[in-house]
Amino acid sequence: MNHVSKKPEEWLAEVAPEKAGGRLKLFLGYAPGVGKTYAMLSEGIRRRSRDEEVVIGIVETHGRKAIAELAQKLDAVPRQKLEYKGTTFEEMDVDAIIARRPQVVLVDELAHTNVPGSKHRKRYEDVQEILAAKIDVLSTLNIQHVESIAPTVRAITGVTVRETVPDWVPLMADETVMVDLTPEALQNRLRRGDVYSPEKVEQALQNFFRAGNLNALRELALRQVAEHVDRSLESYKETKQIEDNWGVRERLAVCISSNPAAQYLIARGARMARRLDALFYVIYVDAGTDSSDERQKSLAANIQFAQDLNAEMIRTRGRNIADAVAAVVKDKHITQVIFGRSAAKGFHRLFYLSALHRFLEESPSVDVHIVTHGENRSLG
């Protein structure tokens, strides 16, 4: 239970030395039937063709013929039989797998809860022990079984997910593969009887497998993989001490003040972000100059306008606005920044240009857009 309260980074830091042995490859899906287990078995068969010793720890066929046929092509470690409340259950035999010492083991359904009397309560704990024994693991997981996502899935589908894994568990994976299928193709699989028995198909299509549900679940899974990629890229850049922003996906930020004219900048930025399919941020630096009621009211209106346009609002403090914005650009890996250009002249214009020059010196490689609009003064 103590693992759940830890941040993912804390847990990963603790297990980093153990991960030097066994590597985890996770096949992630957004619903039953998208092909996770099939993809995992196919990967196992490919590795065996490269002369790696590959065994099945546990694979659930759920009566699917294609899965059963693939599973027969690999050796399986016999399951452990356990008695519980007068019924015999079969679970993965962790000790037998470790004693055999294969190079790769296939472990289906990572979120599974083991029968009482098993060595571990959850299957992901079995996988932890196998990885610690320097054995690679291929495993599968559906997005609805991630603990923090399960409530969202319930709100979307009306289905309560009873078996979950803590959020740090998918982050154990050294590699995550999104096993994707369009909702229409998945529904066709259901109608052909490839996922459930014929008598269950219509009920499934009217409930969990409705098109709207599947589209929402698919988006959740894609976001999970995108976050995993972002973490991997960030880790790589830190390891290699790379400070420059890499524009894998555009990240556009607009810098605002309490000036009402900032709403023009926000709207301009929102349009650009949509055209670029960019992540959209709005940055406000509190330099202690907006304390009056009038400015606070205007600032609140600007922030509300930004949020209405789906911007991620970032508020920070700093006496030097250029330095504060540069810090946000580095932290969020911003690739494009929009500043408003003041119509002021003389000293104020020089102050503006000086602040802009300082920002360019302090920030990593970033595209800067200067937008002129009336008396807007978003940098000062």
Side-chain angles (χ1 to χ4, degrees):
M1 293 296 291
N2 60 328
H3 284 309
V4 177
S5 62
K6 294 181 180 180
K7 293 180 180 180
E9 293 82 0
E10 292 172 341
W11 188 89
L12 291 170
E14 288 182 12
V15 301
E18 296 178 343
K19 287 171 70 65
R23 296 177 61 83
L24 173 63
K25 184 170 184 176
L26 184 63
F27 294 86
L28 181 73
Y30 69 89
V34 295
K36 302 178 304 300
T37 304
Y38 192 93
M40 178 183 69
L41 284 164
S42 299
E43 172 77 2
I45 292 167
R46 282 194 297 273
R47 291 198 182 194
R48 190 192 61 178
S49 72
R50 300 196 296 261
D51 295 325
E52 294 183 51
E53 185 183 1
V54 181
V55 301
I56 292 175
I58 193 159
V59 165
E60 305 291 356
T61 66
H62 297 292
R64 297 166 193 166
K65 184 179 178 182
I67 299 298
E69 288 176 351
L70 276 187
Q72 290 174 1
K73 296 181 180 181
L74 294 170
D75 290 342
V77 175
R79 300 185 186 187
Q80 182 181 25
K81 290 181 171 57
L82 297 167
E83 294 286 337
Y84 180 66
K85 293 186 176 180
T87 304
T88 301
F89 295 88
E90 293 186 345
E91 296 287 6
M92 182 171 66
D93 194 331
V94 179
D95 291 337
I97 291 169
I98 292 174
R100 179 161 173 168
R101 292 279 174 183
Q103 290 172 280
V104 185
V105 60
L106 277 58
V107 181
D108 210 2
E109 299 185 358
L110 191 60
H112 173 77
T113 301
N114 293 327
V115 172
S118 300
K119 187 173 188 181
H120 301 292
R121 188 180 71 87
K122 298 288 290 187
R123 189 166 287 169
Y124 70 79
E125 295 172 320
D126 295 335
V127 167
Q128 284 180 276
E129 184 173 350
I130 294 169
L131 292 171
K134 305 188 186 322
I135 299 169
D136 290 350
V137 175
L138 307 181
S139 192
T140 64
L141 181 71
N142 272 332
I143 193 63
Q144 64 263 33
H145 295 291
V146 178
E147 194 168 62
S148 67
I149 295 175
T152 302
V153 172
R154 180 180 180 181
I156 293 169
T157 67
V159 175
T160 300
V161 180
R162 303 196 181 283
E163 292 189 314
T164 62
V165 298
D167 285 37
W168 55 261
V169 170
L171 300 180
M172 290 195 305
D174 299 275
E175 184 179 357
T176 299
V177 177
M178 171 77 175
V179 182
D180 197 19
L181 193 68
T182 66
E184 294 78 10
L186 179 55
Q187 289 175 329
N188 287 335
R189 278 190 179 179
L190 258 77
R191 293 187 182 99
R192 290 197 304 267
D194 294 342
V195 181
Y196 296 136
S197 56
E199 63 272 13
K200 295 181 180 180
V201 170
E202 281 307 315
Q203 183 181 1
L205 288 170
Q206 295 301 317
N207 293 284
F208 187 85
F209 288 85
R210 293 197 303 271
N213 288 353
L214 297 180
N215 277 310
L217 291 168
R218 189 185 189 199
E219 181 177 348
L220 289 171
L222 288 167
R223 285 182 180 178
Q224 177 75 19
V225 174
E227 288 175 8
H228 187 98
V229 171
D230 279 350
R231 284 181 179 272
S232 298
L233 179 59
E234 180 67 20
S235 176
Y236 176 80
K237 289 175 69 177
E238 287 181 0
T239 301
K240 300 297 182 182
Q241 296 182 328
I242 298 170
E243 293 188 356
D244 288 345
N245 288 341
W246 290 356
V248 177
R249 182 180 181 187
E250 295 291 342
R251 296 167 182 250
L252 187 146
V254 173
C255 301
I256 69 166
S257 69
S258 61
N259 192 321
Q263 293 191 20
Y264 171 82
L265 280 182
I266 296 167
R268 180 83 172 266
R271 289 194 298 272
M272 288 180 62
R274 284 196 296 271
R275 287 197 299 270
L276 296 169
D277 189 29
L279 299 176
F280 182 39
Y281 302 86
V282 170
I283 303 170
Y284 169 71
V285 179
D286 183 358
T289 59
D290 290 323
S291 57
S292 70
D293 290 344
E294 182 182 355
R295 288 198 174 194
Q296 283 296 308
K297 184 177 179 180
S298 176
L299 174 62
N302 290 347
I303 291 172
Q304 184 60 57
F305 185 70
Q307 292 171 338
D308 289 344
L309 292 181
N310 297 317
E312 179 178 333
M313 190 68 217
I314 299 173
R315 298 185 63 162
T316 185
R317 298 178 68 90
R319 295 184 64 182
N320 188 299
I321 294 177
D323 289 351
V325 174
V328 173
V329 167
K330 289 178 182 178
D331 182 57
K332 293 293 185 180
H333 309 301
I334 304 298
T335 60
Q336 301 196 40
V337 181
I338 297 177
F339 292 115
R341 177 179 174 182
S342 174
K345 298 180 180 180
F347 172 78
H348 292 291
R349 179 176 175 80
L350 289 175
F351 176 79
Y352 173 86
L353 292 174
S354 175
L356 181 59
H357 180 70
R358 182 173 178 86
F359 167 78
L360 292 172
E361 286 185 333
E362 294 299 320
S363 71
S365 299
V366 62
D367 293 339
V368 176
H369 304 267
I370 308 297
V371 176
T372 302
H373 184 67
E375 293 299 323
N376 176 49
R377 51 178 181 80
S378 68
L379 230 183

